[in-house]
Amino acid sequence: MKTSPNVQRLSLTEPIVQGASVAASLSWLPAPVLLIAVLCLWAFGPVASFESFGLMAVNTFLGYAVFNAVAAALIGRSFIEHRRPSLLLIGCGAVIWSCSGLVATLDGWGLLRRAVDINSLVTMHNCCTWVASYCHLAGVGLTLNWRVATQKPRVVLALAYALAGALAGIVVLAAYAGWLPTFFIPGEGGTLVRHFVLSSAAGMLALTTVMHICLNRRASPWLRWYINALILLAVGIIAILVQKVTGGCIGWVGRGAQSLGGLYLVVAALLSRDELLTEGTSLWQALSEMRQKWPVSLAIAAALVSLSAAGRLLFLSYLGARFPFATFYPAVLVAAAYGGLWPGLAATGLSVAIVFWIRISADIALGGDHFLALRVAYFVLICISLSWFWKGIHQLQKRAIEAEAEAGYASERAVAAEKLRETETRLRQSEQSFTTFVNTANEGVWVLETEGTTSYLNKRLAQIMERPKSEVVGRPAHEFVYPEDRPLFLQQLEILRRGSVSRYELRIPRKDGSVTWLHVSSAPLFDEEQRVRGSFAMCTDITTRKKMEEELLQLNSHLEQRVSERSAELWRLNVELESFCYSISHELRAPIARLDAFSRLVQEAVVEGHSEELPYLTQRIGVASGKMRVVIDSLLLVNRLSRAELHKEPVDLSQLARLIVDELRDEAPGREVLTRIESDLLASGDRAMLNICLRNLFENAFKYSGSKEVVSIRFGFQESSGAYFISDRGTGFDMDFSHRLFEPFSRLHHDAAFEGTGMGLTIVKRIVERHGGRVWAEGRPGEGATFFFTLEEGGCGDWYGLTGGGDEQAIAVAG
Amino acid sequence: MNKLSLLLVEDNRDDEWLALRALKKLGFEQVRVVRDGCEALSVLCDPALQGDTFVPDLILLDLKLPKMDGIEVLRKLRAGAATSALNVVMLTSSEDPHALYTCRNFGVLACLQKPLTADALLPVLQALSRRTDSSATVEYLTPAAVIVSSISLPL
C-alpha cells in the first residue's frame, strides 16, 4: 500500500506548507533587525563575553548541521521532481554547510578533551561557508529554467551530494593539515584572508539575493523564504566577521542568524516542491538566455573575480607582491567570454580594486612595488583587449545566428513561395478545366450582374442566341429575350435578387424569325458578405421538345377530328346499310307477296272452277319465284365481291370487252350491234371481277339500247378525266336521277320497259371501289348514256400511256 | 258499279294485274293506271293540260317506283295547290319504318301491303264514302283517323 504513507505525509506537512505560504510575506522581518543589532553591537560593542561550549555545540549541530541537512534532503526531493540543476546546486551548498557544522560540532566535543587548534576550526568553517555561498551563487547563475532530461535523477542527486561532501572533506583536510593560510590568530582576531573570504561570502550571498529579486519579478513563497535565508546567512557571516572575541555578543547574534537562516532554508526547501512545474529548456538555450540579462553577467564576473582573489590570497605567502594580477587574468577572460565587453570591463575594474585593497591591507608585510602603475596599465590594457575581442566574437556569433535565422527564414519563404506557385498552378489548372467544361458544355451558361447585365456567356449560349459573345456581354440580358417573355424574365431576375433559385422556360428570338425555347435553371451568386452579386443560369435548348409537344398536340386534335369524321362516316354507312336492308327486304317480300297472291288465286280458280285462268297464274308464279332467285343470286354476288380477295394482275380490258361483246351477241342474235373498242387498254386488277364489271356495263348498254334498231356501243379511255368509259346511244336517262343509278334495286325505268334486278350498277360500283377507283355516269333521255370508271384513284392513263387509236369495228351480225 | 274514280300508280305488271283484279271485285271497272311517278304527276298536275287534269277520288300509289319514288310523288302532290287535298293510299311491300312514318305525316289514308286485296281496301273505301256523304267538302283525314293495315309505327 503506497497511498497511505503519502496521505499521511501530506497531512503532516500540509499545515506547515500552508502556514509557510501565509508567513512568507513577513519572513523578511528578522534580517534587518539582526543586522541593526549587529551594527549597534559593533559600534558600541560591550566587551562582555559569554563562553559556552554547550550552546556552541547545540548551535553548530542543530542550526548548521541538522537544518542544512534537512534542507538538502528536501531540496533533493524537489530536484527529483523538477530536475533543475539550480536546485541541485542550492542543495550542494546546504550539504557543504551541513558538513562544516557537523565537523565543528565534533571539533567542539574534541576541544573539551584535548587542546585543538582554533585556527583550523575557523579556517575550515569559513572556507566551507565560502564554498557554500559560491554554490548558491552558481545556482542562480545556472538559471531556474534549465531542466535536465535525465531518466535517473536520484543517481544524479546522489553523485552531486557525494561530490559536495567530498569537496567539504577536502576543505576540512586542507584546513587541519595546515595547507591553507592562517585565518585566525588567537588574541589578534581574523587575518586578511579570513576577512576576504567571509566578506566575499557575504557579498556573494547578497549578490545571489539581488539576482533572484531581479530575475523573478513575482516572488513565490519558496523564493521569499530562500532569499531571506540567504540574507540571514549573510548577516550571520558579517557578524562573525566583525566579532573580536569568540564569546562576544556579536558572535552569538551572528551564529543565531546563521541558525535562523538554516531554518528558513528548511522552510524554503519544503515549499520548493510545490513550485509550478514550468516548461524547461536545454543548457545552451538557458545560458544564452541568461547572457542577455546583465545582472547575471555581472554577478558571474564578480564571482569569478572573488574566486581569483581567493586564489591570489592563498598564494600570498609564496608570491608576495609579485605577479599581483596573475590569478585575475582567467577571471576576466571567462567573464568576458561569458558576458562580453561590459562584464569584462567590470571584472577588470573589480580586479584592480581588489588588488589595490590587498596591497593596502598587506603593504606593510609585503613591501613596495615600484612597477605597480605599469602592471596595472598592462593588466587593464590586456583585459580591455580581451573584452573587446570577446565582444567581437559575440557579435560574430550573433550575426551567425541571425544569418542562420535569416537563412532559415529565407528557406521557409522559398518553401512558402514554392507552395504558393503550386497552389497557383493547381488553381490555374482547375480554372482551365472549369473553362473547358463551361465552353464545351451542351448547356448554355449565362452569368448576370445584379442589375441584369450579362457578365459572361459560354460558347453554346452564344450559338443558341446566334450572336457573338461581344455583342451580348455588358448589355442588359432582357434585350435578347423574346418580347412577350420579358416580363417573366424580369420577374425571375427579381426572385434571384432576393436570393432564391428559379426554374422557368424562356424564348429567344432567332434571326430567321422563329424562336428558340430555353429551359433556364438559375441560382444567385453571393459575395463574401452573403449579398447577392449576380446570378448563374444553365440554359438547355428545348426547342425540339417543344416542337414535338406541339406536333403531338396537333396530331391529337387531328386524330380527334379524324375519329369524329370516321364516326360520322360510320353512322352514314350504318344508315345506308339499314336502308339497304329495307331495300333487300322489299325486293324479297315483293315476289313472295305475289307468289302468295297468285297461289291464292289458283286455289280460288280451282274451287270456283275457273280452270282457264290456271295457265296464266302458274306462269306468273314461275316469274315471281324466278325473280326472287335472281335477287338472291345478285345479293350473294355483291357479298362475294365485297369479301373476295383481290388478285391483281395485268388485264387487257380491250380483249376482255371483245369477248363479252361476242357472248352478248350470241345471247341476242338478230340484233345489229356496232361496237368500237379501243385496243390495248391495259389495266392492273382482278381479272374475274373486271370481267363481271365490264359484262354488267355492256349488258346495261345492250338492254337500254333495246328499243333502238342499231346498238352502238363504244369502249375507250378518256384522257381528260383519266377514266375508262362505255357509251351507248340507247334510252339514256335524266341527269336529275343520276344519283340513284348506283343504288341497289333502284331503276329509272319501270319493269315493263326493261327487265332487271336493279343490282347491275351496284355490282359495278362495288368492283370499281374495291380497285380503289370511282364510277359515274352522264346521259340525256333518248340520247344514250356514258358510264365512266377508274381503277386507281386519280386515274390510270398516265401510267399506261395507252390512249392511242382504237380499232373501230362495225360488226353487223346477221339474224 | 262503284262511282269513285281511281288512279293506280304501279310499275310491276303482276302487281298491277292483281290490284286491278281486286278493284274489279270491289266494283271498279274503269281504273286509270300509270307506270311511274313522273307519269303520275303529269296526269295529275301537268300545267300543259290547262285545267284538263285528272282529279281522282283516290290514288293508289306504289311506294317504290322507277325514277321518282312514291314518297317524292306524294311530296309534290301535297306541295301543289290543286293536288294537296287528294286522297292517297300507299301500296308497299316494304316495312321501312322511316318511309311509312313519312307517308303518315303526309296524311295518306292508309298504307297497304302489296299485292292489293279487296279485303284490305274495303274499310278504307267505306270510311271515305262515309265522310263524303256526311260533308259537302272533302276534308283531309287527320293522321289519327288513318287506318293502317297491321303496321305498327315506331314513334
Side-chain angles (χ1 to χ4, degrees):
Chain A
M1 297 293 280
K2 282 184 176 176
T3 48
S4 61
N6 277 351
V7 169
Q8 226 170 13
R9 194 194 65 190
L10 278 172
S11 64
L12 190 69
T13 54
E14 201 59 27
I16 303 170
V17 170
Q18 294 273 328
S21 299
V22 173
S25 52
L26 289 172
S27 60
W28 59 274
L29 209 57
V33 172
L34 287 170
L35 186 61
I36 288 164
V38 168
L39 290 173
C40 288
L41 285 171
W42 179 61
F44 317 105
V47 284
S49 83
F50 172 69
E51 295 283 342
S52 166
F53 284 106
L55 189 63
M56 180 82 92
V58 169
N59 181 57
T60 49
F61 181 67
L62 190 70
Y64 297 179
V66 174
F67 283 170
N68 277 288
V70 171
L74 288 171
I75 286 169
R77 199 186 61 180
S78 297
F79 170 76
I80 289 167
E81 279 185 25
H82 291 249
R83 294 172 203 184
R84 293 184 197 281
S86 59
L87 280 175
L88 198 60
L89 278 168
I90 293 166
C92 287
V95 166
I96 291 165
W97 203 297
S98 174
C99 286
S100 89
L102 195 63
V103 170
T105 310
L106 291 172
D107 207 23
W109 279 108
L111 209 63
L112 286 171
R113 305 258 177 101
R114 55 185 178 91
V116 170
D117 182 11
I118 187 91
N119 174 53
S120 300
L121 180 65
V122 170
T123 304
M124 179 277 298
H125 184 66
N126 288 358
C127 283
C128 280
T129 306
W130 191 81
V131 173
S133 64
Y134 216 91
C135 282
H136 284 289
L137 185 60
V140 73
L142 265 184
T143 166
L144 286 168
N145 283 343
W146 179 28
R147 283 182 73 188
V148 287
T150 175
Q151 295 298 316
K152 293 174 177 173
R154 286 166 200 280
V155 176
V156 174
L157 180 70
L159 275 173
Y161 278 11
L163 268 174
L167 191 62
I170 288 165
V171 170
V172 170
L173 197 63
Y176 283 97
W179 296 338
L180 294 172
T182 310
F183 269 62
F184 191 77
I185 300 161
E188 282 184 28
T191 61
L192 185 65
V193 179
R194 182 174 178 255
H195 289 162
F196 172 76
V197 166
L198 285 180
S199 59
S200 70
M204 282 191 287
L205 289 172
L207 196 60
T208 309
T209 307
V210 170
M211 280 171 64
H212 270 303
I213 290 167
C214 288
L215 294 175
N216 301 285
R217 303 269 166 186
R218 261 190 88 253
S220 53
W222 100 267
L223 202 63
R224 282 170 192 271
W225 284 103
Y226 176 58
I227 288 166
N228 285 312
L230 292 177
I231 292 170
L232 283 170
L233 288 175
V235 168
I237 288 165
I238 289 166
I240 295 295
L241 181 68
V242 298
Q243 73 168 348
K244 296 279 194 311
V245 286
T246 316
C249 292
I250 299 176
W252 287 112
V253 171
R255 280 187 281 273
Q258 284 185 39
S259 294
L260 192 61
L263 190 64
Y264 267 45
L265 202 60
V266 171
V267 175
L270 201 63
L271 291 173
S272 73
R273 208 180 66 150
D274 294 340
E275 268 296 273
L276 286 175
L277 269 171
T278 50
E279 188 91 16
T281 55
S282 73
L283 177 62
W284 297 114
Q285 245 176 323
L287 274 181
S288 71
E289 204 177 285
M290 292 307 283
R291 209 153 57 188
Q292 306 299 318
K293 295 173 178 170
W294 62 269
V296 177
S297 300
L298 290 180
I300 282 167
L304 287 165
V305 170
S306 80
L307 189 62
S308 306
R312 185 68 187 79
L313 286 172
L314 280 177
F315 304 113
L316 196 64
S317 50
Y318 309 111
L319 291 173
R322 288 169 297 165
F323 314 115
F325 293 103
T327 55
F328 290 97
Y329 285 106
V332 173
L333 180 69
V334 174
Y338 181 80
L341 181 64
W342 293 109
L345 291 180
T348 309
L350 196 58
S351 301
V352 171
I354 286 171
V355 165
F356 273 93
W357 175 70
I358 292 170
R359 284 195 67 80
I360 290 162
S361 308
D363 205 14
I364 303 152
L366 298 171
D369 183 358
H370 303 293
F371 301 100
L372 184 67
L374 203 62
R375 289 179 206 281
V376 169
Y378 180 73
F379 173 74
V380 169
L381 202 67
I382 292 290
C383 288
I384 287 174
S385 309
L386 273 174
S387 301
W388 205 268
F389 168 76
W390 278 109
K391 187 200 173 191
I393 294 288
H394 280 183
Q395 274 180 348
L396 282 176
Q397 197 185 355
K398 196 176 165 191
R399 263 181 224 162
I401 289 167
E402 277 175 1
E404 200 184 342
E406 184 67 31
Y409 179 59
S411 78
E412 260 176 37
R413 262 208 322 217
V415 168
E418 181 62 31
K419 252 184 198 165
L420 191 68
R421 256 201 306 281
E422 264 177 40
T423 313
E424 270 175 4
T425 311
R426 270 207 298 276
L427 190 69
R428 211 170 30 245
Q429 283 171 349
S430 156
E431 201 177 306
Q432 208 168 12
S433 36
F434 175 72
T435 312
T436 313
F437 162 68
V438 163
N439 274 332
T440 56
N442 205 24
E443 267 76 40
V445 171
W446 204 351
V447 182
L448 301 181
E449 308 278 351
T450 325
E451 68 274 14
T453 318
T454 306
S455 62
Y456 177 80
L457 75 162
N458 69 347
K459 209 192 269 177
R460 173 69 182 139
L461 188 63
Q463 200 183 334
I464 290 171
M465 285 183 163
E466 295 179 332
R467 287 168 197 275
K469 282 186 186 182
S470 56
E471 201 179 301
V472 182
V473 171
R475 300 283 302 278
H478 69 263
E479 284 181 14
F480 305 100
V481 172
Y482 194 67
E484 280 177 29
D485 284 354
R486 276 178 200 169
L488 166 82
F489 183 68
L490 294 173
Q491 191 189 335
Q492 294 296 330
L493 280 186
E494 192 52 46
I495 290 173
L496 285 168
R497 251 175 245 138
R498 289 202 296 268
S500 303
V501 174
S502 68
R503 282 193 186 81
Y504 53 97
E505 284 176 359
L506 194 69
R507 279 174 290 178
I508 300 280
R510 275 157 75 161
K511 294 234 165 100
D512 63 2
S514 62
V515 293
T516 302
W517 275 95
L518 291 183
H519 180 266
V520 182
S521 175
S522 56
L525 296 172
F526 298 99
D527 62 9
E528 289 83 358
E529 288 158 26
Q530 293 303 307
R531 284 180 308 205
V532 176
R533 66 169 173 83
S535 63
F536 177 91
M538 293 289 274
C539 310
T540 313
D541 187 349
I542 53 163
T543 313
T544 318
R545 200 185 83 194
K546 278 279 172 191
K547 210 177 272 176
M548 280 169 74
E549 276 175 13
E550 268 171 35
E551 274 173 16
L552 198 68
L553 213 66
Q554 275 183 356
L555 215 66
N556 269 342
S557 67
H558 187 62
L559 194 70
E560 269 170 35
Q561 195 190 335
R562 276 184 59 185
V563 164
S564 66
E565 277 176 11
R566 192 80 186 158
S567 303
E569 173 78 7
L570 279 173
W571 193 79
R572 193 180 62 76
L573 283 174
N574 231 3
V575 170
E576 252 179 39
L577 189 67
E578 198 183 6
S579 127
F580 181 61
C581 279
Y582 285 118
S583 298
I584 291 168
S585 72
H586 176 266
E587 275 326 288
L588 289 174
R589 284 173 76 115
I592 289 169
R594 270 173 228 141
L595 280 175
D596 190 36
F598 282 123
S599 54
R600 204 178 301 131
L601 287 177
V602 167
Q603 210 176 357
E604 278 178 22
V606 170
V607 170
E608 290 169 17
H610 302 295
S611 56
E612 75 281 355
E613 283 186 329
L614 285 176
Y616 178 75
L617 292 175
T618 49
Q619 190 233 338
R620 293 329 294 173
I621 286 172
V623 169
S625 55
K627 164 89 179 182
M628 201 157 72
R629 194 177 60 242
V630 169
V631 169
I632 289 167
D633 286 350
S634 66
L635 279 174
L636 285 173
L637 180 62
V638 170
N639 187 45
R640 194 164 58 77
L641 290 175
S642 302
R643 290 168 186 277
E645 208 175 324
L646 206 65
H647 298 287
K648 281 204 173 187
E649 57 183 317
V651 179
D652 186 346
L653 293 179
S654 307
Q655 195 193 358
L656 208 59
R658 281 186 215 110
L659 288 170
I660 291 164
V661 168
D662 289 347
E663 280 172 24
L664 290 174
R665 278 207 191 97
D666 292 344
E667 283 170 22
R671 289 182 71 181
E672 189 185 346
V673 179
L674 195 69
T675 56
R676 221 174 85 186
I677 297 171
E678 282 181 25
S679 62
D680 296 330
L681 292 176
L682 294 175
S684 168
D686 189 299
R687 180 179 287 276
M689 283 197 197
L690 289 177
N691 190 33
I692 295 168
C693 173
L694 287 182
R695 192 183 170 88
N696 270 298
L697 286 170
F698 275 102
E699 271 181 357
N700 216 42
F702 263 71
K703 189 161 68 184
Y704 292 102
S705 301
S707 57
K708 306 269 175 145
E709 287 176 4
V710 180
V711 179
S712 172
I713 300 170
R714 189 172 164 215
F715 176 54
F717 184 80
Q718 190 186 47
E719 209 169 335
S720 61
S721 59
Y724 302 98
F725 66 90
I726 294 173
S727 62
D728 62 67
R729 301 221 180 115
T731 321
F733 60 91
D734 191 340
M735 281 299 278
D736 290 346
F737 308 113
S738 67
H739 65 281
R740 293 193 57 195
L741 272 173
F742 300 97
E743 283 178 16
F745 309 116
S746 75
R747 287 184 298 271
L748 298 188
H749 304 277
H750 47 81
D751 284 0
F754 305 100
E755 286 289 335
T757 57
M759 285 296 285
L761 288 176
T762 306
I763 289 165
V764 167
K765 190 185 178 200
R766 189 62 55 96
I767 290 170
V768 168
E769 280 173 353
R770 283 298 309 273
H771 282 79
R774 62 193 189 91
V775 62
W776 70 97
E778 288 172 6
R780 289 178 73 177
E783 290 181 20
T786 309
F787 287 87
F788 298 91
F789 68 93
T790 62
L791 291 179
E792 305 269 348
E793 189 60 50
C796 57
D798 296 344
W799 195 49
Y800 291 102
L802 298 166
T803 52
D807 59 337
E808 277 185 44
Q809 286 183 317
I811 302 163
V813 181
Chain B
M1 181 77 188
N2 206 315
K3 289 173 191 169
L4 287 174
S5 60
L6 287 182
L7 175 69
L8 174 64
V9 189
E10 176 60 71
D11 69 319
N12 187 278
R13 291 293 175 85
D14 285 331
D15 288 339
E16 181 197 335
W17 189 85
L18 288 164
L20 288 176
R21 194 182 164 95
L23 289 171
K24 202 172 181 178
K25 218 177 187 177
L26 289 170
F28 292 98
E29 290 295 336
Q30 292 296 315
V31 174
R32 190 157 180 182
V33 178
V34 290
R35 292 278 154 72
D36 62 48
C38 293
E39 211 176 323
L41 284 177
S42 65
V43 167
L44 291 169
C45 54
D46 191 351
L49 294 175
Q50 293 180 345
D52 198 18
T53 52
F54 178 56
V55 183
D57 292 317
L58 183 66
I59 303 169
L60 298 169
L61 184 59
D62 188 9
L63 195 64
K64 192 145 170 67
L65 293 166
K67 289 181 189 169
M68 189 186 288
D69 68 17
I71 288 174
E72 198 58 40
V73 174
L74 190 58
R75 184 178 288 120
K76 290 219 156 104
L77 289 179
R78 292 299 184 226
T83 56
S84 65
L86 289 170
N87 296 315
V88 180
V89 167
M90 296 304 290
L91 301 176
T92 179
S93 46
S94 168
E95 281 188 3
D96 185 350
H98 299 290
L100 295 178
Y101 181 67
T102 312
C103 295
R104 211 190 112 165
N105 277 352
F106 277 122
V108 295
L109 292 177
C111 288
L112 301 179
Q113 282 290 304
K114 290 210 302 184
L116 186 67
T117 58
D119 295 343
L121 190 60
L122 189 59
V124 180
L125 292 174
Q126 283 170 347
L128 189 66
S129 65
R130 264 204 304 279
R131 204 175 45 184
T132 314
D133 291 345
S134 63
S135 167
T137 55
V138 177
E139 281 189 16
Y140 181 69
L141 285 176
T142 57
V146 172
I147 299 151
V148 179
S149 67
S150 70
I151 296 166
S152 59
L153 295 176
L155 289 170

